[in-house]
Amino acid sequence: DAKTTQPPSMDCAEGRAANLPCNHSTISGNEYVYWYRQIHSQGPQYIIHGLKNNETNEMASLIITEDRKSSTLILPHATLRDTAVYYCIVRVEGTYKYIFGTGTRLKVLA
Amino acid sequence: GAVVSQHPSWVICKSGTSVKIECRSLDFQATTMFWYRQFPKQSLMLMATSNEGSKATYEQGVEKDKFLINHASLTLSTLTVTSAHPEDSSFYICSANRATGAETQYFGPGTRLLVL
C-alpha cells in the first residue's frame, strides 16, 4: 500500500499558485519525500524531493512540516501545461522501491 | 541530465508472440532499475526491481516466467513479455535509480503495448 495520501483532484486558475498537499504520517526519519507528475500518456517527470528543510527549484517549492508528517508542493504560477496527475512518494522503508498512490489530478483552468 | 529512454515507444503484436522492451539510462549509470505497468485511468504498479548483474526481484502476483527481466549493464535493462495475450496490453514504464544520496528514480517515456 502507498505510504502517502493525497486529495484525488484539484482545480487551479492559470497564473495562480497551486498548492498540492500530501500526508505521509508514517514516514521514517531518514526517508525523503519525492514529487513527480505524469502528463497523459507519458512517464512520470521528477519535480523535487526533500528530507527536512524546505526546497525550491526551477519547477516548484516543497514545504515539509516540522514533524515531517505532511508536505505541500507549490507551483507558484500555474500554467495550462501544469495540468497533470501529481504524485507524492515515500520509498518503502529499507528499499529503493516506490509505491504509487492515486495522486492528485490537477486541472489548471484558463 | 538524468535522461532515461525506452524503446520501442509503442508496439502492436499478435497473441502468443514475445515482445522485448529496452530501458536505457543515457547519461548516468544505474545499478537498479524498475519496471512498472499502468492500465488506463489507474496509477503505476511496480512489477519488479532489476539489479545489474543479478536476478530481478518481482512483486507479489507478477509472473517471473512471463515477464523476463535482464539487466546486463549499468545502463540497460530489458523486459520481455513472453507469449503475450490481450490482457497484457498496457503501458509499461521503466525507471532508473540515480545514486545521488537521495536515490532518485528517473522515468522513461513509457512503451504502449497492444496485443491483438
Side-chain angles (χ1 to χ4, degrees):
Chain A
D1 292 338
K3 298 175 65 176
T4 62
T5 54
Q6 299 175 253
S9 65
M10 293 180 65
D11 290 343
C12 176
E14 188 179 19
R16 303 298 294 268
N19 298 293
L20 295 108
C22 178
N23 181 289
H24 34 79
S25 57
T26 61
I27 191 171
S28 66
N30 59 351
E31 286 291 349
Y32 287 82
V33 179
Y34 303 85
W35 282 83
Y36 291 80
R37 70 182 182 185
Q38 186 178 28
I39 296 170
H40 183 62
S41 296
Q42 298 180 25
Q45 176 189 22
Y46 166 78
I47 300 173
I48 199 167
H49 70 273
L51 183 61
K52 295 180 180 179
N53 300 319
N54 298 337
E55 302 287 345
T56 296
N57 63 20
E58 64 277 7
M59 290 184 68
S61 295
L62 176 60
I63 308 297
I64 303 174
T65 58
E66 193 169 340
D67 64 6
R68 300 205 338 114
K69 291 185 177 182
S70 65
S71 61
T72 301
L73 179 75
I74 301 172
L75 307 178
H77 305 287
T79 71
L80 299 178
R81 286 177 293 182
D82 293 322
T83 292
V85 178
Y86 287 76
Y87 295 101
C88 163
I89 296 170
V90 175
R91 283 195 312 229
V92 175
E93 192 168 1
T95 78
Y96 295 149
K97 297 195 297 187
Y98 289 174
I99 303 298
F100 280 76
T102 53
T104 295
R105 185 171 299 275
L106 175 69
K107 185 183 294 185
V108 180
L109 305 173
Chain B
V3 178
V4 177
S5 70
Q6 280 185 242
H7 178 80
S9 56
W10 60 270
V11 57
I12 301 173
C13 70
K14 293 182 178 179
S15 186
T17 61
S18 295
V19 175
K20 179 186 283 188
I21 302 170
E22 292 186 349
C23 176
R24 293 181 186 271
S25 56
L26 298 185
D27 53 0
F28 66 100
Q29 293 184 332
T31 55
T32 306
M33 291 184 172
F34 302 87
W35 288 94
Y36 297 81
R37 181 166 54 180
Q38 186 175 33
F39 293 108
K41 299 189 184 299
Q42 295 185 22
S43 187
L44 282 75
M45 186 190 77
L46 179 64
M47 298 175 67
T49 302
S50 168
N51 294 296
E52 187 266 337
S54 64
K55 290 183 179 180
T57 305
Y58 292 81
E59 294 299 301
Q60 192 172 6
V62 178
E63 299 175 58
K64 63 180 181 180
D65 294 330
K66 180 165 186 64
F67 299 100
L68 301 179
I69 291 172
N70 183 276
H71 192 159
S73 79
L74 289 173
T75 59
L76 173 64
S77 176
T78 61
L79 169 69
T80 301
V81 183
T82 63
S83 187
H85 291 285
E87 58 265 31
D88 298 322
S89 298
S90 188
F91 191 46
Y92 291 88
I93 307 168
C94 73
S95 71
N97 210 48
R98 186 174 191 181
T100 59
E103 303 290 340
T104 305
Q105 288 186 32
Y106 291 89
F107 288 81
T111 297
R112 191 160 300 281
L113 170 63
L114 177 61
V115 184
L116 301 177

